[in-house]
Amino acid sequence: MSTPRILITAVTAITAVSAVLADLVIPDPAAQHAFNPACHPRPNSTTPNTW
């Protein structure tokens, strides 16, 4: 593999693993967003703003 591919793969793996570990080590913030119906992604340009 070339150096850019190795770098991109490493950054992707570290990002994914660190996000999962953060959710496992500190579960309260993860649950706050996962199960909160008021916390949703930003609407796109075709969705009316209902916040």
Side-chain angles (χ1 to χ4, degrees):
M1 289 178 78
S2 64
T3 302
R5 286 181 187 247
I6 293 171
L7 184 61
I8 290 171
T9 303
V11 169
T12 302
I14 291 168
T15 301
V17 169
S18 63
V20 171
L21 284 177
D23 288 346
L24 292 174
V25 173
I26 312 171
D28 290 338
Q32 176 183 0
H33 290 102
F35 305 111
N36 184 356
C39 182
H40 53 81
R42 294 183 69 134
N44 59 26
S45 60
T46 60
T47 305
N49 190 354
T50 58
W51 297 356

